[in-house]
Amino acid sequence: MWLSKVAVSNCRIVAYTELELAAHVNVLYGDNASGKSSLLEALAVLSRGRSFRTPRINELITRGADELTVSVRVEDGVAGGSYPAGICKSSQATRIRINHADVAQQAELSAHIPLTLIHPASVDLVTGGPAIRRAFLDWIAFYRFTDFNSTWRNYQRILKQRNACLRDAKQRHALPQWTEQLIALQPILYRYRLQALDVLQYTLQGNSALLANLGLPLLQLSTGFPANVDVENRQHLEQFFRERSGQEQKQGFSLYGAHRTDLHILLDGVPAVRVASRGQLKLLAVALLLAQSHTTAETEAKRGIIAIDDLASELDESNQQALYNTLRTMQQQLIITGAHYEPLRRWFADARVFHVKQGKMVCQEAQRYTKMDKT
Ligand SMILES: Nc1ncnc2c1ncn2[C@@H]1O[C@H](COP(=O)(O)OP(=O)(O)OP(=O)(O)O)[C@@H](O)[C@H]1O
């Protein structure tokens, strides 16, 4: 899958713009505050339902406007077919359409737009809290395993009910029932994530050139329980929850389980964050995100889209070179932004180039042809 057309209205500085994207590399360059990140945020809303810079839709909608719209044409890659998809968001409502039909769930749209976003804050994947790494791994499971999403949503529902019982003494009678359901999903979610992790670890080896100076990290999954608890053993989990019942009621929420899983990123047995430099951590995060995209791109039909905001920031010349070399070999559609055209042109000579100015993206080829027509 790749996007041949994108139209965005009312996303920050972008009042309205449309782009016809190339199947492989697209470069967007422009001054600070010209609207490059705004376009990528619009794509994030389409793919994930939210921006990578803010969870609040009001901050994203252009001041004075009521709603933000992102419309695309998705090329399915196999039969050469294509179909429209889009999302429209206001502070009150979300409307989603795929191939002219209304769709209720964001997940359905996400399944059509396998976008991986890499931006300056992506280093948080390695340096930030476990929730970021859990979500990272869960997106792999989402794209690879058909039933993952329904299991995950079910887990969130059960967790919410169980937390209500822990918080509120009047609902406490229902605690055993919700605990039982929470226990039943532990091994299922753990296995999904383990499989996602295996694919990720394997795929990461393909990006080893990017991590030549650092070495390949070892990725380990924790269960969300103390190390001696076996999530595959139902009786063991039941006993564990009985023993911790007092502690959980005191805290008022569920302290253990798949919602507390973490993905540990180790270099020579030590958490990467404790040994690697800032630039190395960024490179590591980028390598993980590229591998994540690769895991969804087994076939031409599932080919992913990678959007990279401000590619060069924090990387020295040789790491930039390693990254550009890796990107050039990838089969995914690339949408890359930067403040300056020169370094990007050097590395992506065959890219379709857009100049971004005051929220408008103008394709340079189109500009050139228009100039030629006039002469
Ligand atoms: N809700 C909004 N309505 C209108 N304009 C907004 C809104 N939110 C932010 N802006 C403006 O949009 C611009 C944001 O641009 P954006 O972050 O897309 O720039 P950029 O090209 O990525 O810049 P840089 O190279 O500095 O990262 C800023 O000028 C900001 O003030």
Side-chain angles (χ1 to χ4, degrees), residues 33 37 98 113 117 120 122 127 134 154 172 209 303 308 326 328 330 337 342 346 353 373:
S37 306
I98 303 172
I113 318 282
L117 265 154
S122 289
T127 60
R134 259 195 315 272
N154 199 15
R172 195 70 44 81
R303 195 176 143 218
I308 307 184
T326 303
R328 280 191 310 186
M330 298 194 79
T337 79
E342 227 5 86
R346 196 153 36 101
V353 179
D373 288 346

Side-chain angles (χ1 to χ4, degrees), residues 137 193-201 219-221 263:
L137 199 59
R193 284 169 169 165
L194 262 191
Q195 288 178 65
L197 184 68
D198 276 354
V199 185
L200 178 68
Q201 185 86 65
L219 305 176
Q220 279 179 352
L221 192 65
L263 169 66

Side-chain angles (χ1 to χ4, degrees), residues 10-14 29-41 53 57-65 120 309-310 337-339 356 359 361:
N10 299 329
C11 184
R12 297 200 194 267
I13 197 174
V14 179
Y29 76 96
D31 292 341
N32 293 139
S34 56
K36 305 179 295 294
S37 306
S38 304
L39 182 88
L40 299 196
E41 286 184 280
R53 286 207 289 197
I57 193 69
N58 277 346
E59 289 175 14
L60 213 57
I61 298 173
T62 304
R63 283 187 281 276
D309 201 11
D310 204 2
T337 79
V356 187
M361 283 88 205

Side-chain angles (χ1 to χ4, degrees), residues 280-299:
Q280 285 175 322
L281 290 171
K282 162 127 191 191
L283 210 58
L284 188 52
V286 170
L288 285 163
L289 287 160
L290 295 181
Q292 182 200 43
S293 174
H294 207 79
T295 60
T296 62
E298 277 177 303
T299 62

Side-chain angles (χ1 to χ4, degrees), residues 131-149:
I132 301 172
R133 287 181 291 280
R134 259 195 315 272
F136 165 78
L137 199 59
D138 286 350
W139 278 111
I140 297 178
F142 172 85
Y143 283 111
R144 288 192 74 92
F145 312 120
T146 322
D147 293 337
F148 172 79
N149 190 46

Side-chain angles (χ1 to χ4, degrees), residues 149-165 177-178 181-182 185 189 254:
N149 190 46
S150 56
T151 310
W152 187 86
R153 284 167 61 89
N154 199 15
Y155 187 86
Q156 297 304 319
R157 183 183 61 83
I158 294 164
L159 185 63
K160 208 169 148 195
Q161 299 285 356
R162 186 170 189 270
N163 283 345
C165 297
Q177 173 206 325
W178 292 116
Q181 293 197 41
L182 198 82
L185 289 185
L189 276 174
S254 301

Side-chain angles (χ1 to χ4, degrees), residues 128-347:
I132 301 172
R133 287 181 291 280
R134 259 195 315 272
F136 165 78
L137 199 59
D138 286 350
W139 278 111
I140 297 178
F142 172 85
Y143 283 111
R144 288 192 74 92
F145 312 120
T146 322
D147 293 337
F148 172 79
N149 190 46
S150 56
T151 310
W152 187 86
R153 284 167 61 89
N154 199 15
Y155 187 86
Q156 297 304 319
R157 183 183 61 83
I158 294 164
L159 185 63
K160 208 169 148 195
Q161 299 285 356
R162 186 170 189 270
N163 283 345
C165 297
L166 287 168
R167 243 189 346 261
D168 179 3
K170 285 197 229 96
Q171 298 186 48
R172 195 70 44 81
H173 62 279
L175 185 60
Q177 173 206 325
W178 292 116
T179 304
E180 197 181 312
Q181 293 197 41
L182 198 82
I183 287 173
L185 289 185
Q186 297 303 326
I188 301 173
L189 276 174
Y190 184 62
R191 274 180 241 146
Y192 274 132
R193 284 169 169 165
L194 262 191
Q195 288 178 65
L197 184 68
D198 276 354
V199 185
L200 178 68
Q201 185 86 65
Y202 176 77
T203 313
L204 201 56
Q205 290 170 15
N207 291 342
S208 55
L210 203 54
L211 301 173
N213 296 329
L214 200 59
L216 277 176
L218 177 68
L219 305 176
Q220 279 179 352
L221 192 65
S222 60
T223 57
F225 292 92
N228 62 342
V229 176
D230 178 5
V231 289
E232 298 282 351
N233 185 330
R234 196 186 182 97
Q235 276 103 29
H236 199 169
L237 286 180
E238 283 168 357
Q239 189 191 339
F240 176 81
F241 275 111
R242 269 196 304 276
E243 284 168 9
R244 302 300 168 111
S245 175
Q247 186 195 12
E248 286 198 310
Q249 286 178 34
K250 203 163 146 201
Q251 295 289 327
F253 58 91
S254 301
L255 294 170
Y256 305 95
H259 58 290
R260 290 295 181 99
T261 294
D262 196 359
L263 169 66
H264 301 278
I265 305 168
L266 307 172
L267 290 166
D268 293 326
V270 181
V273 69
R274 296 220 305 256
V275 284
S277 75
R278 181 84 191 167
Q280 285 175 322
L281 290 171
K282 162 127 191 191
L283 210 58
L284 188 52
V286 170
L288 285 163
L289 287 160
L290 295 181
Q292 182 200 43
S293 174
H294 207 79
T295 60
T296 62
E298 277 177 303
T299 62
E300 175 69 10
K302 280 188 161 182
R303 195 176 143 218
I305 305 155
I306 300 175
I308 307 184
D309 201 11
D310 204 2
L311 181 63
S313 72
E314 288 183 282
L315 297 181
D316 65 22
E317 190 69 23
S318 74
N319 281 332
Q320 282 183 37
Q321 180 163 352
L323 178 53
Y324 291 133
N325 286 340
T326 303
L327 287 173
R328 280 191 310 186
T329 62
M330 298 194 79
Q331 58 157 332
Q332 282 93 328
Q333 182 179 34
L334 300 176
I335 303 168
I336 299 171
T337 79
H340 305 290
Y341 180 28
E342 227 5 86
L344 293 169
R345 183 172 66 164
R346 196 153 36 101
W347 292 105

Side-chain angles (χ1 to χ4, degrees), residues 71-128:
S71 313
V72 292
R73 178 152 282 275
V74 183
E75 304 290 325
D76 76 10
V78 197
S82 70
Y83 54 91
I87 189 166
C88 180
K89 262 186 182 284
S90 69
S91 51
Q92 276 92 38
T94 298
R95 291 196 311 279
I96 299 173
R97 280 174 78 79
I98 303 172
N99 209 0
H100 308 290
D102 287 329
V103 160
Q105 302 266 343
Q106 170 66 43
E108 285 187 59
L109 184 57
S110 300
H112 287 260
I113 318 282
L115 173 76
T116 294
L117 265 154
I118 299 175
H119 49 86
S122 289
V123 70
D124 293 352
L125 178 59
V126 188
T127 60

